[in-house]
Amino acid sequence: MFDQLKDKFQSVFDGLSKKGSLSEADVESALREVRLALLEADVSLPVAKHFIASIKEKAIGAASIKSVRPDQQVIKIVHDGLVEMLGGDAAPLAVDVAPPAVILMAGLQGSGKTTTAGKLALRLKDRHKKKVMVASLDMTRPAAREQLRLLGEQADVGVLPESDTETPLQLANRALQMAKLKAYDVVILDTAGRLSVDEALMDELRAIKQATNPHEVLLVADALTGQDAVNTAQAFHDAVGVSGIVLTRMDGDSRGGAALSMRHVTGMPIKFVGMGEKQDALEEFVPDRLAGRILDMGDVVALVEKAAAAIEEEEAMRMAKRMASGKFDMNDFLNQLRQLQKMGGLSGILGMLPGIGKMQKQLNAAGMDDSMLKRQEAIILSMTKKERVSVGLLNASRRKRIAAGSGTSVQDVNRVVKQYQEMAKMMKRMGSKAGAAGLKAMMGGLGGGGAGGAGLGGGMPSAGQMPEMDAEAMKKLSSGLPASMGGQMFGKGGLGGMPGLGGLPGLGGHGGKSKRKK
Amino acid sequence: MSWFRKLTDGLKKSSSKMTESLSGLFTSKKIDADSLEDLEEALIASDMGPHVAAAIARELAAVKFDGEADADKWRLALAEILQQKLTPLEKPLTVSSDHRPHVILLVGVNGSGKTTTCGKLARKFQDEGKSVMLAAGDTFRAAASEQLQGWGLRTDTPVISGEAGGDAAALAYRAMQQAHEAGTDVLIIDTAGRLQNRTELMEELAKIHRVIGKFDDSAPHDSIIVLDGTVGQNAIAQTKAFAEVASLTGMIITKLDGSAKGGIIVALGDDFGLPVHMVGVGEGVDDLESFGARDYAAALVGIEADDLPQNTDAEDKEA
Ligand SMILES: Nc1nc2c(ncn2[C@@H]2O[C@H](COP(=O)(O)OP(=O)(O)OP(=O)(O)O)[C@@H](O)[C@H]2O)c(=O)[nH]1
Ligand SMILES: [Mg+2]
């Protein structure tokens, strides 16, 4: 959806990467390009300017940090800036209140309010098990009420019976009465589209809001919107206090900069995105993922570069040698854990991979979150030096001591030991030049590790495409993220290409089954 | 109320109108770099896109005045540049009696204003003494056909419609037959909104266009993209894609009664040169006006249209 913007940034940063260092002038010229890209992406001018100003400060200050390539730093800063601008995690819809929860839909003509009202109704009914009613207050557009009635019937939710004589305000009041009488959990009020400059209609909206006291006021806006996004968002927010934004037509190929604009001027989260005309085509908005995609470092370029920046060269060499000789102890395991954390943890890495959103939920459900990395680290740190080198020493009483020392349970300790053993096995196999088979097993690790078998191992390159397992490749593998291979396998940006993930501690042999929700 | 008034009113009410951003810009004889940048930004804020905005700013910077320059002169010069660019796009929608029916196909992305424009156009041609028929070619969206029927009632126009979920191309063909038999002057065919990156839906539109041509190989006589005036740079991708499958002959821009400035018209003119037949300035049946380059340029810059020359010289050049 944000592909064009991604392309834009890509070309900007391609230009940067070719240079060795980044001067203040470089930052300036890079940011001019970024600004142009934002404007072409329909980010509203004041928002683009604000963003650039905030980035510039950080970028110039940051360019002096040693050992990280300056262009990578700018990438990181722009990315973080976008994440920040797109906002933290969206708050869930406020529907778990004393019923009926009232949701008021508002927006310009043709922005997609009615369709979205239908989608929301279906979602709340199916996923939240709510008893939902929809009510159209649109007395302006011909057949608007019929449209919502049809959508309501399709979703099998309640529909406010139509009447030709009532005003929108009267309809709203009647909808609330009926919702109370018939014990609906949620009532969704669809309103007529209106221009923010239409004072009479904005007054009407205010009156509806006052009378119904909604728990959510959702501004429904078109992802195709241009510069006007700021004006509209501001005007609606000033008039009725928007609580969230729904961005429609995100299945189109617009750059969608309007999302950034509206998020910024209202300060309210983008709660959902419309991804099609079907009633189930409503998705939660994921700011992290979107920012990653905007930069197109969404896929593995960023991952590889971040990893490359985070990992000391000698350390990688040392690891490579050890791996080649088949040695891999708890200290090495600990190292890998820490590298993983440096790269932004599991969620950081997964968030950068397009399409992983759904996976991530499964991973979370399986207890595979970032706190797990910390737990694992604590466990290894509670081992003695001897234990770390000779894991065989870990008998039941030692494990009990380690659990107590790290504030975890013996099961947790067992799990870490098991993961270590599996990883060591893989390393050995590769060390003995078992080659492709070993690597494949390693990459398949995640799929079999209890992440829900979501097919992460799929799309593996055939053995023929595997690079030779020489010391050089080992070195890269040991960094957890083979850069050269990344280029080949991650290239298409799909989930299929996630080599190395299986080899990352914490993902490999995790017994997620035990924690899986029922 | 003239559309120019509505547009100006809309712009006046919007918080960051170009008029405001431009005043105080032009004070000296030469535009300095800062003013030029401000100007560029004001143009961008109207949705012209950064490249077109930069080109126009450069053009303005090259203007030379005899004698003293002042803000008014600069403003007028800017409006004239815009007027010049837009005048070739002026071409009110007219129907000839060569074809009966004269077929007008309306296409565009979801919610851009196609159905409403069908109703407004029906009224316009009736006012010109023509007989009109409407075809509810949106068989997909819930209550789309009822919506067009609403406009049929309002304008007292017959509406040909089919079953929900039916074949839109077949319906268009049937409507052509009926309009032909009834000797109707103008047949206006509404279509379902579709995003231009949905290939299967674009193919469906290509089929509708083809089938219309089967009945009368000169039809559709107008194939018009209806664009939402609040749209951003994506309008260019939209126009390109719709031109490919539906051989566009013109555009109608809606919702120019709001705070959006519709600067995309300038960018589209640059890229495609398709005429802007009409602009939508409200939800009422009469809220449809011919596009006037002079009025639009004046409204955008914030001067009176009377200050600009009549468009006649541009037409002379073409002749
Ligand atoms: N203010 C204003 N509203 C308009 C104008 N033209 C259309 N609208 C409104 O925009 C909304 C969408 O218009 P429709 O005519 O249904 O658009 P459409 O392109 O047929 O939509 P789909 O068939 O759903 O793709 C309606 O609420 C119209 O009343 C205009 O010029 N000004
Ligand atoms: Mg329609």
Side-chain angles (χ1 to χ4, degrees), chain A residues 4 8 35-36 39-40 42 45 49 108-111 140-143 146-147 150-151 154 193 195-197 199 201 222 224-228 231-232 249 251-255 276-277, chain B residues 10 13-16 41 44-45 47 50-51 109-111 140-143 146-147 150-151 154 193 195-198 201 228 230-234 237-238 255 257-261 283:
Chain A
Q4 289 167 299
K8 215 48 219 178
R35 174 176 171 276
L36 209 63
L39 292 174
E40 255 172 21
D42 293 321
L45 182 67
K49 284 170 86 169
L108 298 181
Q109 288 96 343
S111 62
T140 315
R141 211 198 68 194
E146 285 86 329
Q147 186 186 351
L150 287 172
L151 293 173
Q154 264 171 45
L195 295 167
S196 61
V197 294
E199 272 150 35
L201 285 182
D222 188 339
L224 310 176
T225 309
Q227 295 287 321
D228 187 54
N231 300 331
T232 294
R249 287 170 214 146
D251 50 328
D253 60 4
S254 75
R255 297 183 187 173
E277 294 180 79
Chain B
K13 282 182 223 154
S14 80
S15 56
S16 68
E41 288 181 345
I44 289 170
D47 284 320
H51 296 293
V109 298
N110 313 76
F140 180 77
R141 208 205 67 197
E146 287 85 345
Q147 188 186 350
W151 283 104
R154 232 183 242 191
L195 291 173
Q196 75 276 10
N197 59 337
R198 293 282 300 274
L201 298 181
D228 186 322
T230 64
V231 74
Q233 300 307 302
N234 191 248
Q238 288 170 28
K255 306 181 198 174
D257 45 329
S259 50
K261 293 155 205 79
E283 297 186 85

Side-chain angles (χ1 to χ4, degrees), chain A residues 361-426:
Chain A
K361 263 178 231 152
Q362 288 174 321
L363 293 174
N364 288 345
M368 299 174 84
D369 53 19
D370 291 336
S371 65
M372 187 180 73
L373 294 180
K374 285 257 173 278
R375 261 199 322 271
Q376 291 175 329
E377 191 180 350
I379 288 170
I380 300 175
L381 288 175
S382 296
M383 296 177 188
T384 63
K385 271 186 190 157
K386 260 197 190 152
E387 285 166 349
R388 284 189 224 172
V389 181
S390 324
V391 180
L393 291 175
L394 293 175
N395 58 22
S397 70
R398 281 175 190 257
R399 290 184 192 209
K400 228 184 257 172
R401 189 208 77 234
I402 292 165
S406 58
T408 60
S409 68
V410 173
Q411 283 99 309
D412 286 330
V413 177
N414 290 343
R415 206 171 289 140
V416 168
V417 171
K418 191 151 176 276
Q419 277 176 26
Y420 156 76
Q421 282 164 342
E422 262 162 34
M423 188 107 166
K425 231 190 282 167
M426 282 182 208

Side-chain angles (χ1 to χ4, degrees), chain B residues 221-303:
Chain B
H221 306 98
D222 287 291
S223 177
I224 299 174
I225 185 169
V226 179
L227 288 166
D228 186 322
T230 64
V231 74
Q233 300 307 302
N234 191 248
I236 291 167
Q238 288 170 28
T239 307
K240 187 159 179 281
F242 278 98
E244 261 162 36
V245 299
S247 311
L248 295 181
T249 58
M251 347 194 251
I252 289 177
I253 320 288
T254 64
K255 306 181 198 174
L256 282 185
D257 45 329
S259 50
K261 293 155 205 79
I264 194 71
I265 296 173
V266 182
L268 288 168
D270 250 25
D271 275 3
F272 301 98
L274 286 170
V276 180
H277 290 309
M278 294 278 160
V279 292
V281 287
E283 297 186 85
V285 67
D286 294 317
D287 291 329
L288 185 73
E289 308 264 346
S290 294
F291 174 72
R294 184 170 172 249
D295 291 343
Y296 180 71
L300 210 51
V301 181
I303 62 172

Side-chain angles (χ1 to χ4, degrees), chain A residues 459-499:
Chain A
M460 215 71 79
S462 73
Q465 291 171 278
M466 294 279 180
E468 271 289 297
M469 283 287 117
D470 56 10
E472 185 60 19
M474 284 296 172
K475 178 186 126 193
K476 281 171 179 154
L477 253 180
S478 72
S479 75
L481 285 162
S484 66
M485 290 163 54
Q488 285 182 13
M489 298 183 201
F490 289 10
K492 282 161 222 96
L495 250 188
M498 289 176 64

Side-chain angles (χ1 to χ4, degrees), chain A residues 274-302:
Chain A
M275 293 298 292
E277 294 180 79
K278 301 233 170 71
Q279 271 204 298
D280 58 359
L282 187 72
E283 295 180 6
E284 263 158 54
F285 175 71
V286 186
D288 275 35
R289 197 163 83 196
L290 186 58
R293 289 181 60 137
I294 288 173
L295 274 175
D296 195 24
M297 313 297 156
D299 44 68
V300 183
V301 187

